């Protein structure tokens, strides 16, 4: 059958484990927290924006660099596929403004429950409260060593630990260490989806003010590099909100340039 280990019980790890198990593999899903989907639980303000119902072709316009890399992924398992999968395990969904797909109940916990049923239906072995200390590869076997000094052996290993963006949910950057140990090259980390700090002091006077249906434009030497339309808000240090977070991805590419926002 082949024994497969998956480190990380977020949506990526859950999907990898469930699909591998559905193909007849003996799969073990390893999660350091006491429950699966801890970060998923807080996404979309607790509602969980599952996917987007727009045509797949539109997805590529929102991939900042090397979007062709994701071509096979998007078309092998589409936005419709993930929606149908979750609905097959009892999750009713709805489509809102901007083609955003949410659970009908507006509860991210219902998405996690559907994922849980998916794992159970495919007989995935789930290990909770298991912190991976080290990984190795010897004699054609992946060796996963835990903090309690136990270990597991696998024929294949999937690292789905997430990045380093939210340590409180378990995303502490362990995956980078494991991947590097196994011979992968790790690119320098850059922030993504972050608010923007401004030089202007007056934003402190309007902190908490939320604006809807506004346009935010980023320019270099008066030449537009990107534009977003939607909601934003003022904070005590600058600006944030959906369009600002999306904009930060593009600004990161030109971080050494003199960027102006309008």
């Amino acid at each position: 059958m082949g024994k497969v280990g998956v480190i990380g019980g977020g949506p990526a790890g859950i999907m990898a484990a469930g699909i591998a198990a559905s193909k007849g593999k003996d799969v073990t899903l390893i999660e350091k927290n006491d429950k699966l989907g801890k970060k998923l639980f807080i996404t979309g303000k607790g509602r969980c924006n599952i996917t987007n119902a727009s045509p797949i072709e539109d997805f590529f316009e929102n991939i900042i660099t090397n979007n062709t890399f994701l071509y096979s992924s998007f078309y092998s398992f589409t936005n419709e596929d993930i929606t149908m999968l979750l609905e097959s395990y009892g999750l009713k969904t709805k489509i809102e403004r901007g083609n955003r797909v949410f659970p009908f109940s507006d509860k991210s916990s219902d998405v996690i429950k559907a994922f849980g049923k998916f794992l159970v239906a495919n007989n995935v072995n789930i290990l909770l409260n298991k912190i991976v200390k080290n990984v190795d590869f010897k004699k054609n076997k992946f060796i996963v060593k835990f903090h309690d000094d136990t270990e597991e052996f696998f024929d294949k290993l999937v690292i789905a630990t997430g990045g380093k963006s939210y340590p409180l949910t378990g995303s502490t950057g362990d995956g980078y260490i494991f991947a590097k140990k196994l011979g992968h090259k790790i690119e320098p980390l850059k922030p993504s989806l972050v608010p923007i700090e401004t030089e202007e002091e007056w934003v402190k006077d309007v902190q908490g003010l939320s604006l809807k249906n506004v346009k935010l434009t980023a320019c270099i030497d008066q030449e537009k590099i990107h534009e977003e339309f939607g909601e934003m808000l003022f904070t005590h240090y600058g600006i944030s909100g959906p369009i600002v977070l999306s904009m930060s991805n593009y600004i990161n590419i030109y971080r050494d340039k003199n960027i102006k926002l309008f």
Side-chain angles (χ1 to χ4, degrees), residues 150-170:
T150 60
E151 59 185 23
E152 293 275 353
F153 295 84
F154 300 102
D155 299 300
K156 302 291 183 182
L157 183 66
V158 177
I159 299 175
T161 56
K164 203 175 182 179
S165 59
Y166 213 132
L168 290 177
T169 65

Side-chain angles (χ1 to χ4, degrees), residues 111-242:
V111 179
I112 297 172
K113 288 176 184 176
F115 272 134
K117 293 177 183 178
F118 169 57
L119 295 175
V120 170
N122 287 287
N123 299 310
V124 173
N125 179 35
I126 302 172
L127 300 181
L128 299 176
N129 293 307
K130 275 293 212 181
I131 302 175
V132 177
K133 180 170 64 175
N134 189 30
V135 297
D136 210 342
F137 183 73
K138 294 180 180 179
K139 298 180 180 180
N140 293 320
K141 292 287 185 180
F142 289 96
I143 307 169
V144 177
K145 298 181 180 180
F146 302 101
H147 272 270
D148 59 6
D149 292 327
T150 60
E151 59 185 23
E152 293 275 353
F153 295 84
F154 300 102
D155 299 300
K156 302 291 183 182
L157 183 66
V158 177
I159 299 175
T161 56
K164 203 175 182 179
S165 59
Y166 213 132
L168 290 177
T169 65
S171 295
T172 54
D174 298 342
Y176 301 124
I177 299 173
F178 303 150
K180 188 174 183 179
K181 178 72 181 296
L182 295 173
H184 290 279
K185 178 184 176 183
I186 307 301
E187 294 291 336
L189 302 184
K190 296 179 180 180
S192 176
L193 299 180
V194 294
I196 294 174
E197 184 176 349
T198 62
E199 295 179 350
E200 292 80 4
E201 292 290 331
W202 60 263
V203 295
K204 296 179 181 179
D205 298 328
V206 292
Q207 62 177 298
L209 175 63
S210 178
L211 302 177
K212 295 184 178 181
N213 300 320
V214 295
K215 181 169 66 176
L216 181 64
T217 304
C219 297
I220 299 177
D221 298 328
Q222 301 301 315
E223 181 180 351
K224 182 173 71 175
I225 59 172
H226 190 65
E227 193 170 78
E228 291 281 348
F229 183 84
E231 301 177 17
M232 65 167 282
L233 62 90
F234 290 96
T235 68
H236 65 283
Y237 53 80
I239 53 177
S240 187

Side-chain angles (χ1 to χ4, degrees), residues 75-110:
Y75 280 102
S76 296
F77 193 82
T78 69
N79 47 357
E80 293 181 354
D81 290 329
I82 183 60
T83 300
M84 288 190 294
L85 174 71
L86 291 171
E87 289 182 343
S88 71
Y89 288 99
L91 183 75
K92 189 176 181 180
T93 62
K94 60 180 177 179
I95 300 176
E96 296 188 358
R97 178 177 54 83
N99 282 330
R100 296 172 299 166
V101 181
F102 287 94
F104 190 81
S105 64
D106 284 332
K107 295 180 179 179
S108 57
S109 58
D110 288 341

